[in-house]
Amino acid sequence: MEIRLEQLTKVFTDKTGKETRAVDDLSITIPSGKLVGLLGPSGCGKSTTLYMIAGLLKPSGGKIYFGTDDVTRLAPEKRGIGLVFQNYALYPHMTVRQNILFPLENLDIKRDDAMVLVEDMARLVNIYDQLDKKPSQLSGGQQQRVAIARALVKKPRVLLLDEPLSNLDARLRLQTREEIKRIQRETGITTIFVTHDQEEAMSISDQMVVLDYGVKQQMDAPQTMYNRPDNLFVAKFLGNPPINILDGNVVNGSVVIGDHVVGKTNATDNAYTIGIRPEDFRYDPYGFVVHPEDIEHIGRDTLIKFAFGGTSVRALIDSDSVLQNGTIRLSVKAGKVHLFDKATGSVVL
Amino acid sequence: MKKAKAWLKNAMWSIRNRLTAISNQIDAYLSRHRLQFIVRWPQWLKAIFYLLPALTLLGIFTFYPIINSFMISFMSGYNIQTNEFDGYTFLGNYITVLRHVNFKQAVLNTGIIVFISVPITILIGLMIAVALNAIKPLRGFYQSIFFLPYVTNTIAIGLVFAYIFSGNSTTIQNPAGLGLANQIISWFGGQPIAWVAKGATYWSAMSVILLYSVWNGLAFKIIVFLAGIQGIDKQYYQAAQIDGASKAKAFSRITVPLISPMIFYILITSVIGSFKTYSSVVAIIGVEGQIPTGATGSINLKTIVFYIYDYIGRAGQNDMMSYAAAASIILFGIILVFTVAQLQVGKRRVHY
């Protein structure tokens, strides 16, 4: 089921009459059968968008289409969605079985058939042996899977996940995100999930949407977005350690920072904001000389910090790179220099 | 001065240390000989010392009267004024009370009040709490209105009820004539009913008592239920909505189970409270507890507690206090049985 948002807008008005545009003119198309991550910092409107797709929030403007159906004014229960809440919202007084069964009780399904569906779903999410426990007796990861089973059991057209991994510890997070990807693959259901964790989004999404202040910044496959950010915000938001932002110029097709040429470009001569990812520096015996102020060896890589063009810059280089008399020669990998317009922040090709 | 203070501090410190050392030695000795329990003595003493104020009050006003009533209920020929009695009887007083036609009537009256007013109050209380939770404007105002009966004197409310349901005609004693209830009936062209006056029927009088009990009991229940409902995470309702549950289903499958501890608490306390009904009958029916129907007959609306007070009022005569005591113990037994039964049911039905 393809989901299309057209100029979706949500304005919250507080008691003093102050308006906040949580989601601003958002138009995206989520392809059928894909796993799509809505990513952005806290308060960027990603959860609001999810709740509008779910129908729990009424949009202030714009339209939501599921396939060709306009569902903008449809009640949540009629949209055919499954929603997994951030804290799972499992009914605490019901057993796992009753929790998963609950959505089916409201449909016209025979009890025996419903029971079979519940057990199939429990097997899919690997909680078959926990069916008769109460949610409070389960671990966070198991509760998460029960919530997914409850959302999926009525065969929704769309699965929505609100910060699915934020309540789990680091190890469980890794395991669960693979689990989510597996379940999504096996069911082939169009899935949208919300996260503020870029690593989480990049690792499992087919497509990623980055939002800031309710405005869409970019929608792309994770690696494309990482390699070719559309603007400064996306460039800064993705990547750990974060991208280095420097001031520089383009002179006759060469990108110049301070006294050093760091790359070639087709852009017109001008002053630009320049982004270089730490891992895009490399050791180069013919490169420019830098004096590292700080060196951290982190296994395979070495993180060095140095002043470059008046800014403090971080570079991730191979640990075998040669350091001589406290200096190292570096260059930037070809095509890895990102130029951004100084005024608008959008990328310059 | 400073020196003296320092010296005192020092002295106290060394005494403390010495004592600690001694107690450690004793401790070691005792534990060597497996006698630690003696060391626990001071702990026990401490606990009892802290409990003493409460225990004293409970002892004087609760435990002593209960034990004393229990004793008196087995005495024969007991007179409270002389504090003399002939001897003990095993179940004599109980059998007398249980055979007494007024006691049977009292049990019936009390039972009707308990089994009709408690369920109705709980249901209406729940509905009002849900309604109050659903409205936004003036919620505080409505909450205050519903809470008013709780802070108003029972007898005063009872008298208001007595006025509302007074009279079936204008008489010299009652020149104002019909009470509000009968006025409304008259407006709709009905015949005024003698609710609690001469000519009343058992059920007309009982229904006024029941109405009073329900209305009077609502306030506290609404507050408790409302607090419970407001404590439920809104996400459960959102989840239920997405799961396609109707409002009614969300109420019965989510709200009710999640506030079941409150419902259970209210059920137990109001069953106990209703078994002890007394003042409402006094306020509505009067201190006689019965409505005369003719020259000799009367409708008896006394509750068990009313019945007990009747005997206490005649405690100057032999045996009367023993009957009152026996009736109290029987009431105690009835309440105990119901409470234990509810606790048993609650174990299975209440979700904590």
Side-chain angles (χ1 to χ4, degrees):
Chain A
M1 183 61 51
E2 180 188 88
I3 299 167
R4 200 147 40 86
L5 310 182
E6 277 184 7
Q7 294 166 330
L8 196 64
T9 302
K10 178 71 187 176
V11 180
F12 289 111
T13 312
D14 68 9
K15 277 181 187 155
T16 59
K18 208 179 117 226
E19 290 191 343
T20 314
R21 298 182 84 81
V23 176
D24 197 355
D25 204 21
L26 182 67
S27 298
I28 49 178
T29 303
I30 288 155
S32 183
K34 296 282 188 214
L35 179 59
V36 175
L38 291 180
L39 178 66
S42 298
C44 74
K46 52 193 191 297
S47 286
T48 309
T49 307
L50 193 81
Y51 283 117
M52 282 195 286
I53 297 172
L56 293 172
L57 283 177
K58 297 247 172 303
S60 314
K63 296 245 177 259
I64 302 168
Y65 293 94
F66 284 5
T68 50
D69 308 342
D70 179 358
V71 298
T72 317
R73 303 263 159 246
L74 216 56
E77 64 271 20
K78 297 199 177 116
R79 292 189 181 195
I81 50 145
L83 174 61
V84 177
F85 289 89
Q86 185 170 2
N87 55 7
Y88 318 137
L90 296 175
Y91 309 122
H93 54 287
M94 300 184 197
T95 62
V96 170
R97 191 189 299 276
Q98 289 166 330
N99 262 287
I100 304 176
L101 184 64
F102 192 71
L104 297 177
E105 284 177 24
N106 306 307
L107 300 173
D108 192 20
I109 296 179
K110 276 205 213 105
R111 198 167 171 84
D112 292 346
D113 298 345
M115 280 303 184
V116 172
L117 284 176
V118 167
E119 288 179 5
D120 287 349
M121 200 44 70
R123 271 190 211 101
L124 175 74
V125 300
N126 284 328
I127 41 152
Y128 187 73
D129 47 343
Q130 315 288 335
L131 273 175
D132 293 309
K133 288 188 182 167
K134 290 273 177 71
S136 57
Q137 295 169 299
L138 302 181
S139 70
Q142 288 169 329
Q143 290 184 22
Q144 165 78 280
R145 281 179 278 161
V146 175
I148 294 175
R150 185 180 67 180
L152 286 178
V153 73
K154 59 183 174 186
K155 303 262 182 289
R157 301 190 281 182
V158 178
L159 177 64
L160 306 170
L161 304 152
D162 186 10
E163 298 269 7
L165 306 175
S166 63
N167 283 358
L168 303 175
D169 63 45
R171 200 177 60 80
L172 211 51
R173 207 174 278 204
L174 271 174
Q175 201 183 324
T176 308
R177 74 188 191 198
E178 280 158 22
E179 194 78 346
I180 290 175
K181 192 149 183 78
R182 177 184 68 80
I183 293 166
Q184 195 269 333
R185 285 279 144 79
E186 277 181 33
T187 54
I189 186 172
T190 310
T191 305
I192 304 175
F193 75 100
V194 152
T195 181
H196 61 266
D197 182 348
Q198 44 155 319
E199 194 195 328
E200 194 176 303
M202 294 188 72
S203 60
I204 62 172
S205 337
D206 296 318
Q207 293 263 299
M208 248 169 33
V209 182
V210 173
L211 298 175
D212 187 35
Y213 290 107
V215 179
K216 180 180 87 172
Q217 302 295 323
Q218 189 171 357
M219 178 170 176
D220 252 319
Q223 208 53 40
T224 317
M225 196 180 281
Y226 186 80
N227 290 333
R228 303 216 54 82
D230 271 355
N231 59 37
L232 203 52
F233 176 82
V234 177
K236 280 198 224 171
F237 191 72
L238 297 181
N240 187 25
I243 195 167
N244 298 299
I245 303 296
L246 306 124
D247 285 323
N249 294 289
V250 170
V251 183
N252 298 328
S254 297
V255 184
V256 182
I257 297 169
D259 309 327
H260 308 296
V261 174
V262 293
K264 300 280 175 206
T265 179
N266 299 326
T268 51
D269 291 8
N270 205 342
Y272 291 99
T273 301
I274 293 168
I276 304 171
R277 295 209 179 273
E279 68 271 25
D280 289 338
F281 286 100
R282 64 169 173 207
Y283 169 70
D284 180 353
Y286 306 104
F288 43 84
V289 177
V290 298
H291 302 266
E293 295 158 1
D294 192 24
I295 301 173
E296 273 177 52
H297 296 285
I298 37 179
R300 188 163 50 82
D301 294 323
T302 297
L303 183 68
I304 59 173
K305 229 169 150 184
F306 55 90
F308 192 54
T311 332
S312 180
V313 166
R314 270 178 286 206
L316 263 182
I317 53 168
D318 204 308
S319 288
D320 300 333
S321 307
V322 190
L323 202 67
Q324 287 172 334
N325 306 327
T327 64
I328 188 166
R329 283 178 173 275
L330 294 178
S331 65
V332 180
K333 293 174 191 167
K336 295 291 187 183
V337 176
H338 306 281
L339 297 185
F340 300 101
D341 189 284
K342 268 203 168 318
T344 63
S346 43
V347 77
V348 178
L349 295 172
Chain B
M1 196 59 200
K2 241 181 189 173
K3 249 185 185 170
K5 244 184 190 171
W7 180 84
L8 196 66
K9 210 172 162 185
N10 245 330
M12 278 166 68
W13 188 247
S14 69
I15 289 168
R16 229 189 85 151
N17 280 345
R18 186 97 26 105
L19 284 178
T20 314
I22 292 169
S23 96
N24 281 346
Q25 273 176 11
I26 295 172
D27 230 38
Y29 172 83
L30 289 173
S31 70
R32 233 185 355 262
H33 294 86
R34 297 172 183 279
L35 288 166
Q36 306 97 309
F37 66 93
I38 294 172
V39 183
R40 300 236 171 91
W41 245 108
Q43 292 272 346
W44 275 101
L45 272 180
K46 213 175 177 181
I48 286 170
F49 179 74
Y50 289 144
L51 287 171
L52 214 52
L55 283 178
T56 313
L57 290 174
L58 281 172
I60 294 171
F61 294 108
T62 307
F63 300 141
Y64 171 71
I66 288 177
I67 294 165
N68 208 23
S69 306
F70 198 68
M71 300 295 291
I72 291 171
S73 74
F74 290 107
M75 292 172 181
S76 78
Y78 176 73
N79 187 308
I80 197 166
Q81 283 169 343
T82 57
N83 206 17
E84 285 169 356
F85 59 100
D86 305 336
Y88 289 100
T89 159
F90 177 47
L91 287 175
N93 294 324
Y94 288 89
I95 290 165
T96 312
V97 167
L98 286 170
R99 279 194 182 150
H100 201 207
V101 72
N102 272 352
F103 185 74
K104 287 179 190 160
Q105 185 63 40
V107 170
L108 182 69
N109 292 340
T110 311
I112 288 170
I113 293 172
V114 172
F115 291 109
I116 296 181
S117 80
V118 170
I120 291 178
T121 319
I122 289 179
L123 281 178
I124 296 178
L126 255 179
M127 286 195 285
I128 293 176
V130 169
L132 277 177
N133 188 51
I135 56 168
K136 269 231 171 79
L138 295 177
R139 181 191 287 177
F141 175 70
Y142 286 118
Q143 281 179 10
S144 311
I145 286 182
F146 283 112
F147 201 58
L148 273 180
Y150 190 68
V151 291
T152 313
N153 183 299
T154 315
I155 297 290
I157 299 171
L159 287 174
V160 170
F161 264 71
Y163 271 103
I164 290 175
F165 289 98
S166 71
N168 57 347
S169 61
T170 43
T171 58
I172 295 162
Q173 290 89 352
N174 186 8
L178 305 176
L180 188 62
N182 278 330
Q183 283 183 27
I184 292 170
I185 289 172
S186 308
W187 289 342
F188 288 100
Q191 277 295 314
I193 297 167
W195 292 98
V196 291
K198 192 168 180 182
T201 62
Y202 178 77
W203 282 106
S204 76
M206 184 50 94
S207 56
V208 175
I209 295 174
L210 289 174
L211 192 67
Y212 170 89
S213 307
V214 168
W215 184 74
N216 194 40
L218 270 180
F220 184 63
K221 295 173 179 63
I222 290 171
I223 294 297
V224 172
F225 290 151
L226 194 60
I229 290 170
Q230 284 172 350
I232 299 176
D233 192 339
K234 300 278 169 291
Q235 285 208 325
Y236 294 135
Y237 294 106
Q238 294 187 333
Q241 196 186 356
I242 283 174
D243 289 344
S246 61
K247 282 252 156 60
K249 183 147 196 193
F251 174 76
S252 66
R253 294 294 304 277
I254 292 168
T255 310
V256 171
L258 287 180
I259 62 165
S260 58
M262 281 85 174
I263 297 176
F264 188 56
Y265 160 75
I266 286 292
L267 182 69
I268 289 194
T269 51
S270 49
V271 164
I272 293 174
S274 294
F275 267 120
K276 298 195 288 187
T277 305
Y278 170 66
S279 53
S280 55
V281 179
V282 172
I284 292 166
I285 309 296
V287 286
E288 295 302 321
Q290 42 199 356
I291 302 166
T293 48
T296 52
S298 69
I299 300 165
N300 185 341
L301 290 155
K302 290 175 186 178
T303 58
I304 300 178
V305 174
F306 211 121
Y307 177 90
I308 294 168
Y309 276 131
D310 268 1
Y311 278 115
I312 293 175
R314 290 190 278 154
Q317 300 167 37
N318 283 357
D319 275 335
M320 291 301 143
M321 204 60 190
S322 297
Y323 295 153
S328 319
I329 300 294
I330 293 169
L331 177 61
F332 170 75
I334 294 172
I335 291 176
L336 186 71
V337 166
F338 274 95
T339 307
V340 169
Q342 287 176 73
L343 286 172
Q344 287 303 320
V345 175
K347 261 185 202 158
R348 283 183 285 117
R349 289 293 185 86
V350 178
H351 309 280
Y352 289 104

Coordinates of all heavy atoms in Angstrom, one line a residue, chain A residues 51 56 76-77 81 83 85 87 89-94 102-103 105-106 150 154, chain B residues 233 235-246 249-250 253-254 257-258 351:
Chain A
Y51 N 1.4 10.1 13.9 CA 0.0 10.1 14.5 C -1.1 10.6 13.5 O -2.2 10.2 13.6 CB 0.0 10.9 15.8 CG 0.6 10.1 16.9 CD1 1.8 10.5 17.6 CD2 0.1 8.9 17.3 CE1 2.4 9.7 18.6 CE2 0.7 8.1 18.3 CZ 1.8 8.5 18.9 OH 2.4 7.8 19.9
L56 N -4.8 9.5 14.7 CA -5.0 9.9 16.1 C -4.9 11.4 16.2 O -5.4 12.0 17.2 CB -4.0 9.2 17.0 CG -4.2 7.7 17.2 CD1 -3.0 7.1 18.0 CD2 -5.5 7.3 17.8
P76 N -9.3 6.3 12.9 CA -8.1 5.4 12.9 C -8.5 3.9 12.7 O -7.8 3.2 11.9 CB -7.6 5.6 14.3 CG -8.2 6.8 14.8 CD -9.4 7.1 14.1
E77 N -9.6 3.5 13.3 CA -10.0 2.1 13.2 C -10.4 1.7 11.8 O -10.4 0.5 11.5 CB -11.0 1.7 14.2 CG -12.4 2.4 14.1 CD -12.5 3.7 14.8 OE1 -11.4 4.3 15.1 OE2 -13.6 4.2 15.0
I81 N -4.7 0.3 9.9 CA -3.3 0.5 10.3 C -3.0 -0.3 11.5 O -3.9 -0.6 12.3 CB -3.0 2.0 10.5 CG1 -4.0 2.5 11.5 CG2 -2.9 2.8 9.3 CD1 -3.5 3.5 12.4
L83 N -0.4 0.1 14.8 CA 0.5 1.1 15.4 C 1.1 0.5 16.7 O 0.5 -0.1 17.5 CB -0.3 2.4 15.8 CG 0.4 3.5 16.6 CD1 1.6 4.0 15.8 CD2 -0.5 4.6 16.9
F85 N 3.2 1.7 19.9 CA 3.5 2.9 20.6 C 4.9 2.8 21.2 O 5.5 1.7 21.3 CB 2.5 3.1 21.7 CG 1.1 3.4 21.3 CD1 0.2 2.5 21.0 CD2 0.8 4.8 21.1 CE1 -1.1 2.8 20.5 CE2 -0.5 5.1 20.7 CZ -1.4 4.1 20.4
N87 N 5.9 3.3 24.2 CA 6.0 2.5 25.4 C 5.1 1.3 25.2 O 4.7 0.7 26.2 CB 5.7 3.3 26.6 CG 4.4 4.0 26.5 OD1 3.6 3.7 25.6 ND2 4.0 4.8 27.4
A89 N 2.2 0.4 25.1 CA 0.8 0.5 25.5 C 0.1 -0.9 25.4 O -1.0 -1.0 25.0 CB 0.0 1.5 24.6
L90 N 0.8 -1.9 25.9 CA 0.1 -3.2 26.0 C -0.9 -3.2 27.2 O -0.6 -2.5 28.2 CB 1.1 -4.3 26.3 CG 2.2 -4.6 25.2 CD1 3.2 -5.6 25.7 CD2 1.5 -5.0 24.0
Y91 N -2.1 -3.8 27.0 CA -3.1 -3.7 28.1 C -2.5 -4.6 29.3 O -2.4 -5.8 29.2 CB -4.4 -4.3 27.6 CG -4.8 -3.7 26.3 CD1 -5.1 -4.4 25.2 CD2 -5.0 -2.3 26.2 CE1 -5.5 -3.9 24.0 CE2 -5.4 -1.7 25.0 CZ -5.6 -2.5 23.9 OH -6.0 -1.9 22.7
P92 N -2.2 -3.9 30.4 CA -1.5 -4.6 31.5 C -2.3 -5.7 32.1 O -1.7 -6.6 32.7 CB -1.2 -3.4 32.5 CG -2.2 -2.4 32.2 CD -2.6 -2.5 30.7
H93 N -3.6 -5.6 32.1 CA -4.5 -6.6 32.8 C -4.7 -7.8 31.9 O -5.4 -8.8 32.4 CB -5.8 -6.0 33.2 CG -6.5 -5.3 32.1 ND1 -6.1 -4.1 31.5 CD2 -7.6 -5.7 31.4 CE1 -6.9 -3.8 30.6 NE2 -7.8 -4.7 30.4
M94 N -4.3 -7.8 30.7 CA -4.6 -9.0 29.8 C -3.3 -9.8 29.6 O -2.2 -9.2 29.6 CB -5.1 -8.5 28.4 CG -6.3 -7.7 28.5 SD -6.8 -7.3 26.8 CE -8.0 -6.0 27.0
F102 N -7.1 -9.0 21.1 CA -8.1 -7.9 21.2 C -8.5 -7.2 19.9 O -9.7 -7.0 19.7 CB -7.5 -6.9 22.2 CG -8.4 -5.8 22.6 CD1 -9.4 -6.1 23.5 CD2 -8.3 -4.5 22.1 CE1 -10.3 -5.1 23.9 CE2 -9.2 -3.5 22.5 CZ -10.2 -3.9 23.4
P103 N -7.6 -7.0 19.0 CA -8.0 -6.3 17.7 C -9.0 -7.3 16.9 O -9.8 -6.8 16.2 CB -6.7 -6.1 16.9 CG -5.6 -6.2 17.9 CD -6.1 -7.1 19.0
E105 N -11.1 -9.4 18.2 CA -12.5 -9.4 18.9 C -13.4 -8.4 18.3 O -14.6 -8.6 18.3 CB -12.3 -9.1 20.4 CG -11.8 -10.2 21.2 CD -11.6 -9.8 22.6 OE1 -12.3 -8.9 23.1 OE2 -10.7 -10.4 23.3
N106 N -12.8 -7.3 17.7 CA -13.7 -6.3 17.2 C -14.0 -6.5 15.7 O -14.7 -5.7 15.1 CB -13.0 -4.9 17.4 CG -12.6 -4.7 18.8 OD1 -13.4 -4.8 19.7 ND2 -11.3 -4.5 19.1
R150 N 0.4 -7.5 18.1 CA -0.9 -7.0 18.2 C -1.2 -6.0 17.0 O -2.4 -6.0 16.6 CB -1.0 -6.2 19.5 CG -2.4 -5.7 19.8 CD -2.5 -5.0 21.1 NE -1.8 -3.7 21.1 CZ -1.7 -2.9 22.1 NH1 -2.3 -3.2 23.3 NH2 -1.1 -1.8 22.1
K154 N -4.4 -8.1 12.7 CA -5.6 -7.9 11.9 C -5.2 -7.6 10.5 O -6.0 -7.1 9.7 CB -6.4 -6.8 12.5 CG -5.6 -5.5 12.6 CD -6.4 -4.4 13.3 CE -5.4 -3.2 13.4 NZ -5.9 -2.1 14.2
Chain B
D233 N -3.4 5.6 31.6 CA -2.6 6.2 30.5 C -3.5 6.3 29.2 O -4.2 5.3 28.8 CB -1.5 5.2 30.2 CG -0.5 5.8 29.2 OD1 -0.8 6.8 28.5 OD2 0.7 5.4 29.2
Q235 N -2.8 6.4 26.3 CA -2.4 5.6 25.1 C -3.2 4.3 25.0 O -3.4 3.7 24.0 CB -0.9 5.3 25.2 CG -0.1 6.5 24.9 CD 1.2 6.1 24.3 OE1 1.9 5.1 24.7 NE2 1.7 6.9 23.4
Y236 N -3.7 3.7 26.2 CA -4.4 2.5 26.1 C -5.7 2.7 25.3 O -6.1 1.9 24.6 CB -4.8 2.0 27.5 CG -3.7 1.6 28.4 CD1 -3.5 2.0 29.7 CD2 -2.7 0.8 27.8 CE1 -2.5 1.6 30.5 CE2 -1.6 0.4 28.6 CZ -1.5 0.8 29.9 OH -0.4 0.4 30.6
Y237 N -6.3 3.9 25.4 CA -7.5 4.2 24.7 C -7.2 4.4 23.2 O -7.9 4.0 22.3 CB -8.2 5.5 25.2 CG -8.7 5.2 26.6 CD1 -8.1 5.7 27.7 CD2 -9.8 4.4 26.8 CE1 -8.6 5.5 29.0 CE2 -10.3 4.1 28.1 CZ -9.6 4.6 29.2 OH -10.1 4.3 30.4
Q238 N -6.0 5.1 22.9 CA -5.6 5.2 21.5 C -5.4 3.8 20.9 O -5.8 3.6 19.8 CB -4.3 6.1 21.5 CG -4.5 7.5 21.9 CD -3.3 8.3 21.7 OE1 -2.2 7.9 21.7 NE2 -3.5 9.6 21.5
A239 N -4.7 3.0 21.7 CA -4.4 1.6 21.2 C -5.7 0.9 20.9 O -5.9 0.3 19.9 CB -3.6 0.9 22.2
A240 N -6.7 1.1 21.9 CA -8.0 0.4 21.7 C -8.7 0.9 20.5 O -9.4 0.2 19.8 CB -8.8 0.6 23.0
Q241 N -8.6 2.2 20.3 CA -9.3 2.8 19.1 C -8.7 2.2 17.8 O -9.4 1.9 16.9 CB -9.1 4.4 19.2 CG -10.0 5.1 18.2 CD -9.7 6.6 18.2 OE1 -8.8 7.1 18.9 NE2 -10.4 7.3 17.3
I242 N -7.4 2.1 17.8 CA -6.8 1.6 16.6 C -7.1 0.1 16.4 O -7.3 -0.4 15.3 CB -5.2 1.8 16.6 CG1 -5.0 3.3 16.3 CG2 -4.5 0.9 15.7 CD1 -3.5 3.7 16.4
D243 N -7.3 -0.6 17.6 CA -7.7 -2.0 17.5 C -9.1 -2.1 17.2 O -9.7 -3.2 17.1 CB -7.4 -2.6 18.9 CG -5.9 -2.8 19.1 OD1 -5.1 -2.7 18.1 OD2 -5.5 -3.1 20.3
G244 N -9.8 -1.0 17.0 CA -11.2 -1.1 16.5 C -12.2 -1.3 17.6 O -13.4 -1.6 17.3
A245 N -11.9 -1.0 18.8 CA -12.8 -1.2 19.9 C -13.7 0.0 20.0 O -13.3 1.1 19.9 CB -12.1 -1.4 21.2
S246 N -15.0 -0.3 20.3 CA -16.0 0.8 20.4 C -15.7 1.5 21.8 O -15.0 0.9 22.6 CB -17.4 0.3 20.3 OG -17.6 -0.7 21.4
K249 N -16.8 -0.8 24.5 CA -15.9 -1.9 24.7 C -14.7 -1.4 25.4 O -14.2 -2.1 26.3 CB -15.6 -2.5 23.4 CG -14.7 -3.7 23.5 CD -14.9 -4.7 22.5 CE -14.3 -6.0 22.9 NZ -14.2 -7.0 21.8
A250 N -14.2 -0.2 25.0 CA -13.0 0.3 25.7 C -13.3 0.5 27.2 O -12.5 0.3 28.1 CB -12.6 1.7 25.1
R253 N -13.6 -3.2 28.7 CA -12.4 -4.0 28.7 C -11.2 -3.3 29.2 O -10.1 -3.9 29.4 CB -12.2 -4.5 27.2 CG -13.3 -5.4 26.7 CD -13.3 -6.8 27.5 NE -12.0 -7.4 27.5 CZ -11.5 -8.2 26.5 NH1 -12.3 -8.4 25.4 NH2 -10.3 -8.7 26.5
I254 N -11.2 -2.0 29.2 CA -10.0 -1.3 29.6 C -10.2 -0.5 30.9 O -9.6 -0.7 31.9 CB -9.4 -0.4 28.5 CG1 -9.0 -1.3 27.4 CG2 -8.3 0.5 29.0 CD1 -8.7 -0.6 26.1
P257 N -11.4 -2.9 34.1 CA -10.3 -3.7 34.7 C -9.2 -2.8 35.3 O -8.7 -3.2 36.3 CB -9.8 -4.5 33.5 CG -10.8 -4.4 32.4 CD -11.6 -3.2 32.7
L258 N -8.9 -1.7 34.6 CA -7.8 -0.9 35.2 C -8.2 -0.1 36.4 O -7.3 0.2 37.2 CB -7.3 0.0 34.1 CG -6.5 -0.6 33.0 CD1 -6.0 0.4 31.9 CD2 -5.3 -1.4 33.5
H351 N -7.4 -6.6 39.0 CA -6.1 -6.5 38.4 C -5.3 -5.4 39.0 O -5.6 -4.2 38.9 CB -6.2 -6.3 36.9 CG -7.1 -7.2 36.2 ND1 -6.8 -8.5 35.9 CD2 -8.4 -7.1 35.9 CE1 -7.8 -9.1 35.3 NE2 -8.8 -8.3 35.3

